Amino acid sequence: MATSEVEICRNALLLLGDSEISSFDDEGDRVTLIANLWTNARDAVLRSHPWNCAIKRVALAPEATGPDFDYAYSFLLPGDWLRTLSVGLKGDAPAYEHENGRILMDDAVCYFRYVFRNENIATYDAMLVAALEAYMAMLAAYPITKSAAVQERMASLYEGQLKRARSIDGQEQPPEDFGDFPLLAVRR
């Protein structure tokens, strides 16, 4: 399994039938391309699903000044934030809004669960790594091969890898409990 971003990018190039790279400092347009694509590609794939290896929980403290109206407190999103998963404690759903890199709410503490920018590739699941390799290959396919057919094949490979990775990753969590719904109680 790949343990660095360079290994993931190297494998993506190999999927395209291209030669290997040893670092992002290697010479050549394809190395510049793949190095430039990496950060946004990693963040996009991490943001696409609540991967177990990229979830954090924090209690955010309010900013010194709150919003001008509607809510009492403003909480700055963490610097490594990619996607909000939940606000509030389990079973508690406080009213809030996500606005301009902040969470606005009336509670004095913001219990926040989110997908973070996990840069430690060694913590990634093998299926996530395979999806990242396919995504990088898809992004680099046309610029490197000049073939729309290869790009379509890489897009298909990515979709399949992503679907399998999400499925396996999701199976490692207990099923969500949606609680009691009046509509369901009436049907019984």
Side-chain angles (χ1 to χ4, degrees), residues 49-52 125 127 162-176:
H49 176 76
W51 304 102
N52 295 325
D125 178 86
M127 301 288 287
L162 185 64
K163 184 178 180 180
R164 285 186 292 280
R166 284 177 173 170
S167 174
I168 297 296
D169 191 72
Q171 290 173 23
E172 294 173 344
Q173 293 293 337
E176 281 188 49

Side-chain angles (χ1 to χ4, degrees), residues 96-175:
Y96 74 93
E97 288 192 38
H98 199 285
E99 198 172 275
N100 194 25
R102 289 168 171 71
I103 298 291
L104 309 178
M105 61 190 300
D106 288 328
D107 295 358
V109 176
C110 179
Y111 297 101
F112 192 65
R113 189 169 166 262
Y114 68 105
V115 173
F116 76 100
R117 182 177 297 105
N118 183 352
E119 297 177 354
N120 184 357
I121 307 299
T123 65
Y124 290 13
D125 178 86
M127 301 288 287
L128 173 56
V129 169
L132 269 166
E133 290 168 352
Y135 189 66
M136 288 298 296
M138 178 189 75
L139 293 177
Y142 191 79
I144 288 176
T145 68
K146 305 293 188 248
S147 169
V150 171
Q151 186 178 32
E152 287 177 26
R153 283 197 304 274
M154 291 301 114
S156 178
L157 174 67
Y158 168 64
E159 290 300 323
Q161 292 284 25
L162 185 64
K163 184 178 180 180
R164 285 186 292 280
R166 284 177 173 170
S167 174
I168 297 296
D169 191 72
Q171 290 173 23
E172 294 173 344
Q173 293 293 337

Side-chain angles (χ1 to χ4, degrees), residues 7 19 21 23 36 38 58 62 72 75 111 123 142 144 161 175:
E7 287 182 55
S19 57
I21 61 170
S23 81
N36 286 336
W38 168 251
V58 295
F75 302 86
Y111 297 101
T123 65
Y142 191 79
I144 288 176
Q161 292 284 25

Side-chain angles (χ1 to χ4, degrees), residues 51-64:
W51 304 102
N52 295 325
C53 67
I55 295 175
K56 273 188 186 177
R57 294 171 191 257
V58 295
L60 301 174
E63 293 183 296

